[in-house]
Amino acid sequence: MTDTLVADRPSAAGPSFADMANAIRALAMDAVEKAKSGHPGMPMGMADVATVLFTRFMHLNPADSAWPDRDRFVLSAGHGSMLQYALHYLIGYPDMPIEQLEKFRQLGSHTAGHPEYGHALGIETTTGPLGQGVATAVGMALAERMMNARYGDDLVDHYTYVIAGDGCLMEGISHEAIDLAGHLKLGKLILFWDDNHISIDGATSLSTSTDQIARFKAAGWNTVRVNGHDEKEIEAAIAKARAQSDKPWLIACNTIIGYGAPNRAGTAKAHGEALGAEEIAGARQKLNWPHTPFVVPAPVLNEWRKAAARGAAAQENWVARLAASGKAAAFNAQVSGVLPAAAEAALKELIAKQVEEKPKIASRKASEIALAAINAATDVTIGGSADLTHSNLTITKGMESVRPGSFGGRYIHYGVREMGMAAAMNGMALHGGFIPYGGTFLIFADYARGAIRLSALMGIRVIYVLTHDSIGLGEDGPTHQPVEILASLRALPNMLVFRPCDAVETSESWAVALAEKAAPSSLALSRQALTPLRTEASKENLTAKGAYVLREADGKRDVTLLATGSEVEIAVAAAHELAMEGIKAAVVSMPCWELFDRQSEAYRREVLGTAPRVGVEAALRFGWDRWLGERSAFIGMKGFGASAPAPDLYKHFGITAEAVAAAAKSLIS
């Protein structure tokens, strides 16, 4: 339950509101000046808004930055990172002493050029790519409402606040995000638009004339416009937004970029470069801030630190409510991020069943079956799809849909919003309490690319279910056949890319993805049915090794066939054909290159062997040479696909057992 609002206004004898806000401005311009790099304009322009928000409304406790019911703050306009770092210093985060501000944008500091999740306490998400923060915040606000539906107002009742700039609202992802948030009626989401009419190129009128107020209203938001330098207007707008939470809120703040700079305020020159010593001296005089660089007078700093004391008191009250609720064990287990043992056990049982029954099914269907076992065993998984639910097969029996104003379900219909879905899942994972997974076609991973990259950069557990993974999808043709997408996903650092060859590998892939807390996973799944190849029980999860010998040669290898996904059965068929001619071929399944790369060098040598190698994948060769070596061949795609039934396409493009066998023989002749 939200605590009673206490407005910590500066007293008559203490520092003025202007002093409080000018502390942010001074720290921002000083840090950028010392670094000779950065963006002083936005922090100076939004200092008044941030001061009202953080000193009078936000519930944060720097001593426990991960307190579950804290308010979330997202600086979507991440280039203005000095706004956040100044706030963290002023409020008193223990990892943000003044020395960190003096090392702004320097190697090893907590004060990176853009806010980076995990680099400093209280940074809720990595921002910088414009619009991503807005969309990620939608996921946070959604997770808050879903947790509230389970635990009630006493335990989950916090706000998600966002500061976004003109650039954030120009980016296409903002449309996906505000549309979804308005549709779902995420009333605990409050977005401050820094409406300063300036972008890097100059006035925003150079490139846009959108009526953002009308746009947000059309998407189902409440809206209000304020003078971004009038504390009373700002406070009244925030109070109204908190009191009327039937819809998300846009607070449009008319501001002056670089406020206080005598010559550069209101111009593009204030946006992304140091102001210079002369301009800063003029700003100090105009703002009546006579203090030396990086010095905040004790009365001002003490007034700021009251915000932390208020947050600590709010947390103390929440801890008491949690203890008295009778729900502490369940709540703490859910927010711990630990996958319930029942889910792991359910997958092991399913794998044993699949080894015995040997189903010939598409890996997307195998994924659905695995999800049915997972979702029945735990309620921390939250599913969804970008309008492809019954193609991705991401919904399972008993899952109710999340609906506008109704958040008790576990399945989210994201609509045709791939990047919005990915960013929202990032927000849900960052909020805590849930493991989100969402589906689309593999080809549309490119639509979600910016948000997927942030999943990997932040190292968070988000699972992408990417079906229709190759030319095997058939008749939809080259626009939908992702010949290059596997390579692009594998190029991402800290992304696990799985392409399972049958039902067993698919279930094993899910087990690894759920257990991996420090990286996202992408499951590339087939439309077409796959022959069961893992027909013998194993005491260990072989997919967790990334690659393994599926079929060893009868004696010393003449050749090693490496394959992934639907092409593993082609490699097995080729090995049989070669065996008929007395050629000893081993077959290696490589469901996850990244996990294979984690194994010891000795294990990799054992699996790959020293014989010539043939790689097989219905995709481009790019990336394969790291495994193939010099004496090698590749059977796969050389360009885009075509529209035809899948069997015809495999023959047309020469991805057949006969072609693999011929390539193998050419290497050893």
Side-chain angles (χ1 to χ4, degrees), residues 319-500:
V319 169
R321 294 197 301 272
L322 178 64
S325 69
K327 303 175 183 178
F331 183 89
N332 289 331
Q334 183 159 353
V335 300
S336 71
V338 176
L339 182 71
E344 183 180 356
L347 282 173
K348 287 183 178 179
E349 182 179 345
L350 174 62
I351 290 168
K353 180 181 179 182
Q354 290 169 332
V355 168
E356 181 180 350
E357 295 182 355
K358 304 174 180 58
K360 183 174 182 177
I361 54 177
S363 53
R364 64 169 176 159
K365 181 64 178 178
S367 172
E368 178 188 39
I369 293 169
L371 279 170
I374 295 162
N375 292 336
T378 178
D379 63 358
V380 302
T381 46
I382 302 297
S385 172
D387 201 49
L388 288 168
T389 292
H390 301 294
S391 290
N392 302 146
L393 304 181
T394 41
I395 197 168
T396 60
K397 185 178 180 180
M399 295 186 85
E400 295 183 10
S401 297
V402 172
R403 302 184 186 280
S406 178
F407 303 101
R410 292 177 57 195
Y411 194 83
I412 302 166
H413 297 275
Y414 291 102
V416 187
R417 304 183 184 101
E418 291 86 1
M419 193 186 298
M421 174 182 72
M425 289 197 296
N426 285 344
M428 295 179 71
L430 290 163
H431 178 278
F434 299 113
I435 302 173
Y437 68 86
T440 186
F441 290 170
L442 179 59
I443 190 67
F444 299 133
D446 264 8
Y447 277 1
R449 179 74 178 193
I452 291 176
R453 185 176 187 273
L454 289 184
S455 304
L457 180 60
M458 291 187 284
I460 54 178
R461 181 169 45 184
V462 174
I463 302 173
Y464 296 97
V465 181
L466 305 172
T467 68
H468 297 61
D469 71 334
S470 71
I471 60 169
L473 69 86
E475 293 84 348
D476 277 345
T479 60
H480 283 54
Q481 292 166 4
V483 296
E484 81 285 12
I485 307 300
L486 282 170
S488 71
L489 288 174
R490 287 167 177 159
L492 271 178
N494 201 42
M495 167 65 76
L496 299 182
V497 182
F498 296 90
R499 190 164 186 252

Side-chain angles (χ1 to χ4, degrees), residues 480-541:
H480 283 54
Q481 292 166 4
V483 296
E484 81 285 12
I485 307 300
L486 282 170
S488 71
L489 288 174
R490 287 167 177 159
L492 271 178
N494 201 42
M495 167 65 76
L496 299 182
V497 182
F498 296 90
R499 190 164 186 252
C501 73
D502 68 358
V504 171
E505 275 196 2
T506 304
S507 296
E508 288 184 337
S509 297
W510 268 107
V512 178
L514 289 168
E516 178 56 77
K517 294 176 64 177
S521 297
S522 294
L523 277 65
L525 306 172
S526 74
R527 178 190 184 217
Q528 72 272 33
L530 304 180
T531 299
L533 299 173
R534 287 283 299 282
T535 56
E536 297 180 5
S538 172
K539 293 182 179 179
E540 57 185 337
N541 184 326

